[in-house]
Amino acid sequence: GENVEQHPSTLSVQEGDSAVIKCTYSDSASNYFPWYKQELGKRPQLIIDIRSNVGEKKDQRIAVTLNKTAKHFSLHITETQPEDSAVYFCAATDSWGKFQFGAGTQVVVTP
Amino acid sequence: DVKVTQSSRYLVKRTGEKVFLECVQDMDHENMFWYRQDPGLGLRLIYFSYDVKMKEKGDIPEGYSVSREKKERFSLILESASTNQTSMYLCASTTGLAGGGVTDTQYFGPGTRLTVL
């Protein structure tokens, strides 16, 4: 089955700097790669996603890149702000809709 | 706006009790999922369902069972609760056609924090 590894487990950045989180997956049949943000005490919420027919997607300060050959995808947050502090999860899934999540990255943005 | 609700936010049970966690979604989604979330382990899939009366084991089904009698409702059952089942339980739903369709994002419920004493 699918296995998703996520790094780093914690990430501390200065406000205004960029943050990058990387994930690798094992199943070449995976075709959908969402990223979720979970603030303390709240449910995970989708922040951006990418499908296997696209190499890069951007939404304001957030971007995701996908390298299908290498089976890895990354989340990039630019100009980080204190409200970006949260746990971020990557996931991979195939057309059957079974999601496999990474272990999560705790991002701390310090003023 | 998609709404996924769970029956309880906090639950305290004793070892050996039978525990029911319920999840309801209002968007006519075909797929529903139960995860448990533990620090450092991310979201681990317990069971999922593609349709009414259908269920599939996830990665950690031991000690759990599920029921899906109606499309909008997916229940997680702990037949005999144990202390190692103390965790945050998250339900999720998504549209998308199994076996070749286009997968869409998952929408999560608020979670149930279960403590087993």
Side-chain angles (χ1 to χ4, degrees):
Chain A
E2 175 67 275
N3 181 47
V4 175
E5 294 193 359
Q6 182 173 348
H7 298 281
S9 56
T10 58
L11 183 58
S12 185
V13 295
Q14 288 280 102
E15 183 177 356
D17 287 351
S18 295
V20 180
I21 304 169
K22 297 182 179 182
C23 289
T24 61
Y25 63 99
S26 60
D27 189 351
S28 57
S30 290
N31 59 15
Y32 176 65
F33 307 91
W35 285 89
Y36 294 86
K37 176 184 180 182
Q38 187 177 27
E39 296 175 352
L40 191 63
K42 296 189 176 180
R43 71 189 78 190
Q45 300 228 336
L46 178 77
I47 54 170
I48 195 167
D49 57 12
I50 192 167
R51 300 189 186 275
S52 58
N53 58 349
V54 175
E56 185 173 354
K57 184 176 178 180
K58 191 173 181 181
D59 183 5
Q60 298 182 344
R61 296 186 297 109
I62 293 172
V64 59
T65 58
L66 170 66
N67 183 328
K68 281 189 66 181
T69 304
K71 296 201 193 77
H72 66 71
F73 56 113
S74 301
L75 177 72
H76 304 252
I77 307 173
T78 58
E79 300 171 22
T80 52
Q81 301 167 4
E83 53 264 37
D84 294 328
S85 296
V87 178
Y88 292 80
F89 293 98
C90 63
T93 186
D94 60 18
S95 59
W96 284 92
K98 181 182 172 183
F99 284 60
Q100 191 73 36
F101 285 84
T105 297
Q106 175 74 62
V107 174
V108 177
V109 180
T110 53
Chain B
D1 200 21
V2 177
K3 278 196 178 167
V4 182
T5 57
Q6 295 182 227
S7 50
S8 306
R9 290 301 305 273
Y10 301 94
L11 209 52
V12 179
K13 294 292 181 180
R14 297 210 173 271
T15 301
E17 282 192 81
K18 191 167 185 175
V19 182
F20 292 87
L21 303 181
E22 293 206 325
C23 175
V24 178
Q25 50 91 7
D26 66 356
M27 286 302 292
D28 201 35
H29 284 171
E30 291 86 0
N31 303 341
M32 296 188 74
F33 306 79
W34 275 106
Y35 297 92
R36 64 177 282 176
Q37 183 176 20
D38 301 288
L41 296 177
L43 297 161
R44 293 182 292 166
L45 182 63
I46 304 171
Y47 267 97
F48 60 107
S49 169
Y50 291 127
D51 202 349
V52 175
K53 296 194 186 297
M54 287 186 62
K55 60 183 179 183
E56 296 284 342
K57 290 181 179 179
D59 299 319
I60 52 165
E62 296 79 18
Y64 304 94
S65 62
V66 290
S67 173
R68 193 162 181 206
E69 295 296 319
K70 294 184 177 182
K71 190 175 185 179
E72 67 271 18
R73 188 180 298 269
F74 192 35
S75 301
L76 180 68
I77 304 156
L78 287 66
E79 295 289 344
S80 177
S82 63
T83 54
N84 62 12
Q85 292 178 309
T86 291
S87 186
M88 170 67 84
Y89 290 87
L90 286 163
C91 172
S93 73
T94 181
T95 189
L97 303 174
V102 178
T103 306
D104 200 357
T105 188
Q106 292 199 344
Y107 296 89
F108 286 88
T112 296
R113 183 162 294 282
L114 172 67
T115 302
V116 183
L117 302 175

